[in-house]
Amino acid sequence: MQQKAQMPEDGKVDINTAGKDELMTLSGIGEAKADAIIRYRDEHGKFQKIEDLMEVEGIKDGVFQKVKDQIKI
């Protein structure tokens, strides 16, 4: 039986290493935003701080406020 991706012990998603499915577990992050996060990472390198997530197209303060307690770098 195949297991789903396990959540890290602290329950936070690492936005520098998470795959699309893991990113989509975050509040307000659907397929398009997950793709945008991965594309941003590919083009700009790793996020230096969680606030850098707001540099991603389609992710503004409102979405960031929903996910800031669910993410880490």
Side-chain angles (χ1 to χ4, degrees), residues 8-71:
E9 285 182 32
D10 61 6
K12 294 188 178 189
V13 173
D14 186 327
I15 58 175
N16 281 324
T17 61
K20 184 174 177 177
D21 289 341
E22 195 174 1
L23 290 168
M24 289 172 58
T25 66
L26 298 168
S27 303
I29 305 294
E31 192 168 349
K33 287 188 176 93
D35 285 339
I37 292 168
I38 293 168
R39 189 168 48 250
Y40 181 91
R41 232 172 29 201
D42 290 345
E43 292 172 3
H44 301 276
K46 292 189 171 198
F47 294 98
Q48 300 302 307
K49 57 188 188 296
I50 63 170
E51 290 81 7
D52 290 345
L53 191 61
M54 288 186 285
E55 299 293 321
V56 176
E57 185 178 339
I59 298 181
K60 301 293 176 239
D61 188 59
V63 172
F64 178 74
Q65 293 302 322
K66 287 184 192 174
V67 302
K68 69 178 181 178
D69 295 330
Q70 301 172 19
I71 60 175

